[in-house]
Amino acid sequence: MDLHLYNTLTRQLERFTPARPDRVTMYVCGPTVYNYAHIGNARPYTVFGVLAKLLRDQFGHLDYARNITDVDDKINAAAAERGVGIDVVTAQYTEAFHEDMAAVGVVGEFAPNLEPRATAHIPGIVRMCERLIASGHAYAAEGHVLFNVDTYEGYGRLSRRTVKEMIAGARVDVAPYKRNPADFVLWKPSTADLPGWESPWGRGRPGWHIECSVMAEEHLGQTIDIHAGGADLKFPHHENEIAQSVCAHGGAEFARLWMHNGFVTIEGRKMSKSLGNVLLIKNLREQAPAEALRYLLLNAHYRQPLDWSDSALKQAKTTLDRLYGGLRDLEDVDASGVSVEADSVKAALADDLGTPQALAALSELSRDVQKAEGPAARASAKARLLAAGSWLGLLQQSPQDWFQSGNASIDVARIEALMAERQQVRERRDFARADAIRNELTELGVVIEDTPQGARWKLL
Ligand code: AMP
Ligand code: ZN
């Protein structure tokens, strides 16, 4: 099966082929651990996790690295405020991040197998700075090491910006020691109260961008197949990663394919700490089952914005209620020995991670299950639905667990029974009873939609 992915660098859909089929590599920029993760942060790890599973299936393996940024000025500020070391802050939020990721199903084949931490790579960072200085791409000034953007002609290629636009966009410090105002920091000095490491330029700490270049090189090699992250990382972070890595490696390509997810928004505005409109995963998990969070994250195509709302979350949960309700009806059916392929779901995902189409295919398979007659047909329909769900990390718990873990604020079985009865009485043209059923459903908070494919229900 061919895998087609949209490459931000070429602005084209491309058929994916790894540089070396025996070693497929992917790097996704990881979190800066100074706070709890919000649901926007979960988007790249959820969607690119689905990609990781596809790649692992297709090539038999994948080296997938997702770093932890555990030295950063925001971490320093959080630690200083609490009067503790940065390791206390980063340990706490790394653990919380792992808990959140596990809850939303970013585990196993959906998770990275490499999780490098920036602070464990300081010697490599110093060496890359030295290499860049030796080759004339970087220079030391007043305890800093800066990358000189004039020395790399590809600068701006990914984000398609000119250096002038980049200076305006990044609101860069126009420090007197910079050769070009767009030059960016590879290493910076630390005062005694800040974390720091000894270096040829005095005690200091790394800039954010070089951490990823070094971790990618150390764990995945000079050229990686896929590099991904949120669209806000295109510039300056990814642009700077490219400049550093290409120049440190004598011109070798850094990443062959770049992928960027769109933003989770609230009422059309990007969810971000600076706007103060974040919804933390840990709080959302109290509001809805984590699988519903995952469903909603997959419900929009990864390159499109995803507008988060209570009603969208409720709808995601209702859909899962319906899917698990269908599986509950098949509890007596043993599908364990049936071998099936989830072709429709896989095909949707292989087309630039078409998760909305994959979810539609999942619902279609669920309808097939309801229509299937006879033990063999029911077993194979159930097996197909479960196999399809496994590609998305959905429907993998037992229906009892889903309904018992406090998820079911509604009685799906009762609703489904009323829907079925309404169908029968309408066929008998007993409209009085049909109306009575509709009223009963309204009291349960359910609205009925009559469609050409039959009646459907959803929660108000
Ligand atoms: P950070 O910890 O801020 O570096 O962010 C971790 C990841 O979340 C990065 O890949 C960001 O691009 C991504 N991200 C941050 N905010 C959003 C958002 N509102 N929607 C989607 N992705 C986001
Ligand atoms: Zn990065």
Side-chain angles (χ1 to χ4, degrees):
M1 181 192 52
D2 281 351
L3 178 57
H4 288 91
L5 299 170
Y6 182 85
N7 187 352
T8 311
L9 197 59
T10 59
R11 306 286 197 276
Q12 272 174 9
L13 210 56
E14 293 177 4
R15 184 171 157 259
F16 174 71
T17 47
R20 287 173 39 185
D22 60 323
R23 190 174 186 215
V24 187
T25 53
M26 175 159 89
Y27 187 95
V28 177
C29 295
T32 305
V33 280
Y34 69 102
N35 208 331
Y36 290 106
H38 62 70
I39 195 69
N41 299 136
R43 193 175 194 196
Y45 312 128
T46 304
V47 295
F48 300 122
V50 170
L51 176 60
K53 182 172 163 81
L54 270 187
L55 292 168
R56 285 176 168 134
D57 174 68
Q58 184 148 351
F59 298 99
H61 76 284
L62 170 74
D63 265 336
Y64 170 16
R66 183 189 66 198
N67 68 288
I68 297 278
T69 298
D70 62 350
V71 51
D72 178 274
D73 288 350
K74 289 184 273 254
I75 298 173
N76 299 343
E81 202 170 291
R82 285 167 56 181
V84 296
I86 59 167
D87 50 335
V88 174
V89 173
T90 60
Q92 177 189 348
Y93 292 113
T94 301
E95 194 186 329
F97 174 74
H98 285 148
E99 254 177 47
D100 285 340
M101 286 304 107
V104 296
V106 183
V107 284
E109 291 177 291
F110 296 107
N113 56 310
L114 300 161
E115 199 171 42
R117 289 180 304 117
T119 52
H121 294 77
I122 303 294
I125 291 171
V126 169
R127 279 198 302 277
M128 191 176 276
C129 288
E130 287 176 323
R131 253 187 287 162
L132 288 168
I133 293 174
S135 57
H137 293 289
Y139 55 98
E142 298 184 20
H144 295 74
V145 178
L146 292 134
F147 186 93
N148 184 203
V149 297
D150 299 320
T151 67
Y152 176 53
E153 95 271 95
Y155 197 60
R157 224 177 100 206
L158 178 73
S159 54
R160 298 200 178 172
R161 298 183 192 211
T162 63
V163 171
K164 215 168 146 197
E165 285 167 339
M166 287 189 272
I167 293 170
R171 284 177 254 111
V172 290
D173 297 337
V174 186
Y177 49 79
K178 283 190 181 179
R179 291 184 189 164
N180 182 322
D183 290 354
F184 59 87
V185 165
L186 305 178
W187 185 265
K188 52 191 162 188
S190 289
T191 50
D193 55 330
L194 286 173
W197 291 262
E198 288 310 324
S199 82
W201 317 284
R203 188 172 168 278
R205 60 196 193 282
W208 171 34
H209 319 300
I210 195 148
E211 298 171 359
C212 282
S213 282
V214 169
M215 288 185 272
E217 175 198 62
E218 258 178 54
H219 295 276
L220 305 176
Q222 292 197 352
T223 299
I224 52 187
D225 287 312
I226 299 174
H227 195 314
D232 52 341
L233 301 188
K234 269 186 236 171
F235 177 79
H237 186 55
H238 289 163
E239 205 70 77
N240 293 356
E241 279 189 40
I242 295 172
Q244 296 157 165
S245 295
V246 170
C247 294
H249 300 144
E253 191 173 19
F254 175 41
R256 301 171 61 244
L257 198 141
W258 284 87
M259 297 178 73
H260 292 96
N261 63 272
F263 297 134
V264 172
T265 58
I266 290 205
E267 291 169 353
R269 282 152 53 104
K270 182 192 173 196
M271 185 179 291
S272 74
K273 284 168 201 147
S274 54
L275 285 176
N277 62 350
V278 297
L279 295 174
L280 301 182
I281 303 171
K282 82 177 173 81
N283 294 339
L284 286 169
R285 278 163 57 196
E286 286 172 12
Q287 189 187 326
E291 194 172 340
L293 306 181
R294 182 175 179 87
Y295 188 100
L296 187 47
L297 285 170
L298 296 174
N299 201 28
H301 187 254
Y302 76 95
R303 285 194 278 125
Q304 300 299 320
L306 192 171
D307 205 43
W308 196 272
S309 65
D310 283 353
S311 62
L313 183 54
K314 226 186 219 176
Q315 190 58 46
K317 185 179 164 301
T318 308
T319 306
L320 283 168
D321 280 338
R322 192 178 306 144
L323 294 170
Y324 274 114
L327 281 174
R328 184 169 57 183
D329 294 342
L330 290 176
E331 250 158 347
D332 53 320
V333 176
D334 180 13
S336 53
V338 188
S339 146
V340 286
E341 282 290 329
D343 293 333
S344 54
V345 165
K346 257 174 101 170
L349 295 178
D351 182 9
D352 196 28
L353 300 183
T355 53
Q357 293 79 0
L359 291 176
L362 196 68
S363 283
E364 191 59 39
L365 288 169
S366 164
R367 282 191 280 278
D368 290 349
V369 164
Q370 272 142 39
K371 280 187 254 153
E373 278 174 29
R378 293 177 83 213
S380 111
K382 179 177 175 181
R384 239 178 291 128
L385 178 61
L386 291 174
S390 75
W391 285 98
L392 296 157
L394 297 172
L395 302 185
Q396 301 304 298
Q397 51 183 317
S398 75
Q400 291 100 312
D401 284 348
W402 170 263
F403 287 111
Q404 276 165 19
S405 53
N407 294 331
S409 48
I410 53 162
D411 186 345
V412 176
R414 171 143 181 76
I415 295 167
E416 297 279 356
L418 285 168
M419 290 292 289
E421 191 192 343
R422 177 172 172 270
Q423 178 67 22
Q424 285 165 6
V425 299
R426 274 159 63 96
E427 277 161 21
R428 289 204 306 267
R429 308 186 70 74
D430 179 356
F431 296 116
R433 176 67 192 140
D435 282 348
I437 292 172
R438 180 185 281 273
N439 290 342
E440 200 169 328
L441 285 165
T442 307
E443 266 168 39
L444 291 170
V446 170
V447 277
I448 304 171
E449 291 175 330
D450 284 306
T451 74
Q453 287 80 38
R456 299 205 192 122
W457 61 272
K458 63 176 190 186
L459 287 186
L460 271 173

